[in-house]
């Protein structure tokens, strides 16, 4: 797993750090850093390494843009430290930073994230950064040189890397420091320093210590690494480019403090439907929204399964969400196997607690479908149909999934995603191929008289598809069309469990098909049959053959159909392979166009040709073919669809 590879070779206690500026409602992309660092923390702990995970709130940063949900009155606080700005009306938070970050931090326990949270206001005001601030200001010339050499950003000789909180207007984003005497900095609150806030013009001198200002965030990174002793800290790829923020901070750390930077774990963006997100601009899905939607272990799986250097492109569309749950469920099932070491490791990375993934998942697509079926108590029906019943953990996780499915239906489902059990055969059933219709008819004929488990029904569908024959995708599409008037839906076997047997049989048998058209679609040549048998040489357990004739008649024809016989004659081979699966090969030998005058002569000509074909197959493949004594004859009205 990627987390194990990253921590290879690390020795001694490890301090992992991540942080966030609460400049707006925190989007889900910010959870990528949180969970990547948490996975590293868990991997270290699994390895027996002493490790601490801390998470910083960069609430001393200035408000440099109005949050998407902000009132216009917040404009007057542009440039102020986020923690010094009043919380919105009606909020229980102490300030604007606390208002936005509290919602985000509340998700941590839900996701099983055990991080020690600190706030930069407290770090600065407590004096913990005083030594680092002094060292950086004393070596401002070194910082200016590094900016020029690493990021090609020129700074004037009187530029010092510090931002004072203006004593007159309280803004931090509009001040520039031009001197430091070892005790105080000289600063100017400039009216035009930035485009998003206007300084008051005040000039003065003040101590840079004990929270009277802050370092620019690149140097703040340096100060954190040095002061805290951080050994691991990743960042988004935009900060890790050559000459970027990470390079500047690392060089400053080395030249000012003589320290080596923490292990870097650069990670790609978390996109929603291909779009990058922004907290301050309100672009993207809020972290709380997705945490309310997805069960915790699914959300962890979404982010942790993807190596950091690969983009996570999340979507709420039907196919993506169903696939996400299915892939998680396969992981849970595989992890139950004794030899599934990698799956067990991944499971430990995504579990909120040891029992959060110790359950039998119910397919998300099935739950979406069942919630839309009338008069069904989904939880009760699943409990009733689960062998051995549901454990308490099963019940708890089922409730989470039902909540997620309900949320998805209420907030994200398109009209095409919604299903409705059709009271009558949909008109669109007429658009199905004759092979699909014949499959449904055969399914209705073979449908068990007694209720079955999901897997038995699923096997039935596969078996009937091979006996039609028809490909599996077309078979399931036919089922969804006649039941839901859709081309996709939940697992067919699972759906059958919750629907009335008589309704299903009646609906499947209600579908008409032309046998002539069906045989035309599904019939194969003698050469194609020979190729199939050759491909499966050595796997054949048994073979049975039947002669079948389908005669096309009109409503005016007599039952014995004398005259010109029109229709088709086939040999149907039923072949069982060593995997115990039975396949039907429909070999189209005769296409009657009037050359035979009676049904008996048509059958005789088919048998004569078929006998030679079967003898040849026996000779070529050394197989014994059991042939039915009596041919089967069908009569089809030529004007019937």
């Amino acid at each position: 797993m990627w987390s194990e590879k990253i921590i290879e070779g690390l020795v001694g206690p490890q301090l992992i750090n991540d942080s966030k500026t609460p400049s707006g409602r925190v989007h889900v992309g910010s959870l990528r850093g949180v969970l990547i660092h948490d996975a590293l923390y868990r991997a270290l702990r699994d390895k027996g390494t002493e490790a601490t995970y801390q998470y910083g709130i960069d609430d001393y940063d200035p408000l440099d843009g109005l949050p998407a949900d902000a009132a216009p009155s917040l404009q007057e606080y542009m440039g102020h430290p986020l923690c010094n700005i009043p919380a919105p009306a009606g909020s229980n938070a102490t300030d604007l930073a606390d208002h936005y970050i509290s919602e985000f931090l509340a998700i941590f326990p839900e996701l099983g994230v055990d991080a020690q949270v600190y706030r930069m206001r407290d770090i600065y005001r407590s004096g913990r950064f005083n030594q680092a601030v002094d060292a950086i200001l004393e070596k401002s010339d070194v910082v200016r040189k590094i900016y020029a050499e690493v990021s090609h950003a020129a700074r004037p000789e009187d530029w010092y890397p510090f931002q004072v909180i203006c004593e007159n207007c309280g803004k931090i984003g509009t001040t520039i420091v031009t001197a430091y005497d070892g005790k105080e900095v000289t600063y100017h609150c400039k009216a035009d320093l930035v485009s998003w806030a206007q300084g008051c013009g005040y000039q003065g001198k003040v101590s840079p210590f004990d929270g009277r200002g802050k370092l620019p965030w690149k140097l703040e990174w340096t100060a954190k690494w040095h002061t805290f002793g951080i050994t691991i800290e990743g960042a988004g790829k935009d900060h890790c480019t050559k000459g970027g923020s990470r390079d500047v901070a690392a060089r400053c750390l080395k030249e000012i403090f003589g320290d080596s930077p923490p292990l870097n774990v650069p990670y790609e963006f978390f996109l929603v439907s291909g779009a990058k997100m922004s907290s301050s601009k309100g672009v993207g899905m809020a972290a709380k929204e997705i945490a309310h939607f997805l069960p915790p272990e699914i959300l962890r799986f979404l982010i942790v399964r993807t190596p950091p250097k690969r983009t996570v492109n999340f979507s709420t569309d039907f196919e993506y969400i169903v696939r996400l749950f299915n892939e998680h469920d396969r992981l849970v099932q595989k992890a139950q196997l004794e030899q599934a070491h990698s799956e067990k490791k991944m499971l430990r990375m995504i579990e909120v607690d040891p029992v959060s993934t110790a359950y039998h998942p119910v397919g998300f697509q099935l739950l979406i479908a069942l919630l839309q079926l009338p008069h069904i108590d989904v939880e009760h029906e699943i409990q009733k149909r689960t062998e051995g019943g549901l454990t308490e953990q099963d019940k708890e996780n089922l409730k989470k999934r039902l909540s997620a499915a309900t949320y998805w239906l209420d907030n994200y489902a398109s009209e095409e995603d919604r299903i409705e059990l059709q009271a009558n055969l949909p008109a669109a059933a007429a658009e199905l191929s004759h092979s699909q219709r014949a499959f449904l008819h055969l399914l209705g004929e073979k449908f068990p008289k007694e209720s079955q488990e999901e897997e038995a029904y699923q096997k039935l569908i596969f078996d009937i598809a091979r006996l039609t024959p028809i490909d599996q995708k077309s078979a399931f599409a036919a089922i969804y069309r006649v039941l839901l008037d859709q081309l996709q839906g939940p697992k067919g076997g699972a759906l059958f469990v919750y629907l009335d047997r008589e309704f299903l049989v009646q609906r499947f048998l209600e579908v008409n098909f032309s046998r002539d058209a069906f045989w035309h679609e599904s019939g194969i040549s003698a050469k194609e049959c020979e190729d199939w048998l050759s491909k499966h040489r050595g796997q054949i357990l048994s073979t049975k053959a039947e002669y079948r004739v389908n005669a096309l008649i009109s409503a005016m024809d007599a039952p014995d159909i004398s005259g010109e016989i029109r229709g088709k004659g086939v040999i149907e081979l039923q072949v069982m392979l060593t995997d115990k699966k039975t396949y039907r090969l429909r070999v189209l030998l005769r296409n009657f166009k009037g050359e035979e005058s009676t049904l008996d002569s048509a059958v005789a000509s088919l048998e004569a040709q078929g006998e030679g074909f079967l003898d040849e197959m026996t000779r070529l493949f050394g197989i014994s073919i059991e042939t039915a004594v009596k041919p089967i004859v069908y009569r089809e009205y030529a004007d019937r669809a």
Side-chain angles (χ1 to χ4, degrees):
M1 187 174 166
W2 61 261
S3 56
E4 290 183 321
K5 293 179 181 178
I6 288 174
I7 65 172
E8 276 179 354
L10 294 180
V11 294
Q14 302 295 318
L15 177 58
I16 304 169
N17 187 74
D18 190 22
S19 61
K20 175 64 183 172
T21 298
S23 56
R25 199 172 185 208
V26 184
H27 60 69
V28 63
S30 297
L31 280 174
R32 183 153 207 209
V34 172
L35 293 178
I36 284 174
H37 288 94
D38 184 66
L40 295 173
Y41 171 65
R42 291 186 178 202
L44 286 165
R45 297 290 295 270
D46 273 1
K47 190 180 171 184
T49 301
E50 182 182 341
T52 302
Y53 179 20
Q54 62 181 27
Y55 193 84
I57 313 304
D58 295 335
D59 54 3
Y60 237 37
D61 290 358
L63 178 65
D64 58 5
L66 281 181
D69 61 349
S73 59
L74 198 64
Q75 182 71 42
E76 65 178 287
Y77 291 101
M78 294 292 290
H80 286 255
L82 291 165
C83 62
N84 290 354
I85 301 172
S91 172
N92 294 323
T94 58
D95 51 74
L96 186 68
D98 187 56
H99 171 72
Y100 286 122
I101 205 64
S102 292
E103 177 185 84
F104 187 58
L105 293 178
I107 300 170
F108 283 27
E110 297 174 14
L111 293 176
V113 174
D114 183 21
Q116 299 176 10
V117 176
Y118 65 90
R119 299 174 189 251
M120 289 309 297
R121 70 177 88 178
D122 300 326
I123 301 300
Y124 279 109
R125 290 169 182 172
S126 68
R128 193 170 176 192
F129 261 19
N130 286 354
Q131 184 268 339
V133 168
D134 176 64
I136 290 170
L137 286 173
E138 287 287 359
K139 295 193 175 182
S140 295
D141 58 330
V142 174
V143 176
R144 291 192 291 269
K145 178 174 72 76
I146 292 170
Y147 269 57
E149 292 178 357
V150 176
S151 62
H152 307 293
R155 294 288 188 270
E157 289 298 314
D158 63 348
W159 177 84
Y160 283 72
F162 197 75
Q163 296 169 280
V164 169
I165 298 176
C166 179
E167 298 165 280
N168 183 55
C169 69
K171 294 177 183 176
I172 197 172
T174 55
T175 61
I176 186 168
V177 170
T178 56
Y180 176 56
D181 62 10
K183 292 183 179 180
E184 293 182 314
V185 292
T186 301
Y187 74 96
H188 182 193
C189 185
K190 300 187 70 173
D192 59 353
L193 181 66
V194 294
S195 61
W196 37 266
Q198 184 174 6
C200 66
Y202 180 81
Q203 300 184 49
K205 295 181 72 174
V206 70
S207 167
F209 307 126
D210 301 328
R212 294 180 179 87
K214 74 180 292 291
L215 295 161
W217 73 271
K218 294 174 188 175
L219 277 301
E220 191 170 86
W221 220 354
T222 299
K224 286 183 184 181
W225 293 344
H226 170 72
T227 304
F228 299 153
I230 294 166
T231 60
I232 302 173
E233 180 165 2
K237 72 168 188 177
D238 49 337
H239 299 310
C240 299
T241 55
K242 183 175 175 57
S245 308
R246 175 88 188 194
D247 283 354
V248 171
R251 178 84 172 272
C252 287
L253 180 70
K254 182 178 180 181
E255 296 202 18
I256 296 173
F257 298 106
D259 296 339
S260 297
L263 174 66
N264 188 19
V265 186
Y267 51 86
E268 273 282 356
F269 296 126
F270 185 108
L271 308 178
V272 173
S273 299
K276 186 175 179 289
M277 291 167 289
S278 167
S279 292
S280 58
K281 295 178 181 178
V283 177
M285 181 184 293
K288 180 168 183 173
E289 181 183 346
I290 194 170
H292 185 66
F293 166 35
L294 294 177
E297 63 277 3
I298 301 293
L299 179 49
R300 287 191 66 100
F301 175 69
L302 166 67
I303 294 177
V304 173
R305 67 171 173 167
T306 307
K309 290 185 179 180
R310 284 174 48 197
T311 300
V312 175
N313 190 7
F314 177 71
S315 172
T316 57
D317 70 38
F318 177 81
E319 288 187 5
Y320 183 97
I321 289 297
V322 168
R323 186 169 64 250
L324 173 65
F325 276 84
N326 287 347
E327 289 172 354
H328 166 271
D329 295 350
R330 282 195 290 273
L331 172 68
V332 171
Q333 290 161 357
K334 284 183 180 179
Q336 295 172 359
L337 302 175
E338 188 174 341
Q339 301 301 319
H341 300 301
S342 61
E343 287 82 3
K344 291 181 190 296
K345 288 176 182 177
M346 175 60 79
L347 212 58
R348 287 199 297 274
M349 293 299 107
I350 70 170
E351 64 189 16
V352 175
D353 57 62
V355 297
S356 68
T357 51
Y359 65 100
H360 302 90
V362 179
F364 192 69
Q365 186 174 9
L366 174 63
L367 293 180
I368 289 174
L370 294 181
L371 284 170
Q372 298 179 80
L373 298 181
H375 315 304
I376 286 186
D377 181 337
V378 178
E379 191 171 348
H380 173 74
E381 291 298 323
I382 291 175
Q383 165 80 11
K384 186 171 69 174
R385 287 171 168 79
T386 301
E387 186 177 355
L390 299 174
T391 66
E392 288 306 312
Q393 193 61 42
D394 289 336
K395 292 177 184 177
E396 181 179 336
N397 283 281
L398 176 58
K399 286 179 180 177
K400 290 180 187 176
R401 290 199 169 204
L402 284 171
S403 174
T406 301
Y407 191 93
W408 184 84
L409 285 167
D410 291 344
N411 294 276
Y412 305 125
S414 66
E415 285 306 311
E416 292 76 18
D417 295 327
R418 299 184 183 281
I419 65 169
E420 181 179 350
L421 187 64
Q422 301 296 298
N424 299 301
L425 183 67
E431 299 170 9
L432 295 173
S433 70
H434 288 278
S435 295
Q436 287 176 301
R437 296 187 228 172
F439 159 76
L440 292 170
H441 214 269
L442 185 58
L443 182 61
E445 291 176 350
K446 300 290 186 181
F447 208 86
K449 290 183 169 54
E450 302 296 328
S451 296
Q452 306 289 313
E453 297 294 328
E454 174 185 326
E455 292 309 316
Y457 280 131
Q458 197 74 359
K459 180 179 182 299
L460 173 70
I461 296 171
F462 292 140
D463 288 346
I464 300 301
R466 287 192 297 273
L467 291 175
T468 301
I470 189 174
D471 65 274
Q472 292 176 7
K473 183 178 179 181
S474 298
F476 282 101
I479 292 171
Y480 300 138
R481 176 58 76 194
V482 299
L483 295 180
L484 308 174
D485 202 13
Q486 300 278 359
L487 287 177
Q488 62 179 10
K491 197 173 178 182
L495 189 59
F496 289 177
V497 169
Y498 297 94
L499 295 178
D500 179 70
R501 179 194 178 277
E502 296 306 318
F503 166 79
L504 290 170
V505 171
Q506 181 180 347
R507 177 57 50 87
F508 296 150
L509 294 179
E510 188 179 356
V511 181
N512 293 318
F513 68 96
S514 162
R515 194 174 303 275
D516 185 74
F518 166 44
W519 284 4
H520 176 73
E521 291 174 1
S522 62
I524 61 175
S525 67
K527 179 63 169 61
E528 288 172 316
C529 177
E530 181 181 329
D531 291 343
W532 192 95
L533 293 172
S534 177
K535 180 180 177 182
H536 296 89
R537 188 192 299 267
Q539 304 173 43
I540 299 173
L541 288 181
S542 65
T543 308
K544 296 179 181 180
E546 272 187 332
Y547 294 102
R548 300 192 178 201
V549 170
N550 184 58
L552 294 174
I553 63 175
S554 71
M556 302 300 295
D557 287 332
D560 59 353
I561 320 179
S562 58
E564 295 182 347
I565 301 297
R566 299 183 183 277
K568 290 180 173 61
V570 302
I571 288 181
E572 291 195 351
L573 294 181
Q574 222 167 266
V575 184
M576 179 182 286
L577 301 183
T578 51
D579 61 5
K580 301 297 175 129
K581 294 177 180 176
T582 301
Y583 298 78
R584 178 167 285 161
L585 308 175
R586 184 169 291 109
V587 185
L588 186 59
L589 291 183
R590 295 300 308 272
N591 195 5
F592 302 115
K593 297 181 178 179
E595 64 273 22
E596 301 293 343
S597 59
T598 67
L599 265 177
D600 287 343
S601 63
V603 170
S605 67
L606 174 64
E607 289 180 309
Q609 186 173 345
E611 185 176 342
F613 169 74
L614 294 177
D615 287 344
E616 180 67 7
M617 294 304 101
T618 298
R619 184 187 68 79
L620 286 174
F621 302 107
I623 55 177
S624 175
I625 303 177
E626 179 186 338
T627 306
V629 175
K630 187 177 181 181
I632 297 176
V633 177
Y634 303 97
R635 294 168 174 81
E636 178 183 342
Y637 286 108
D639 54 353
R640 177 177 293 177

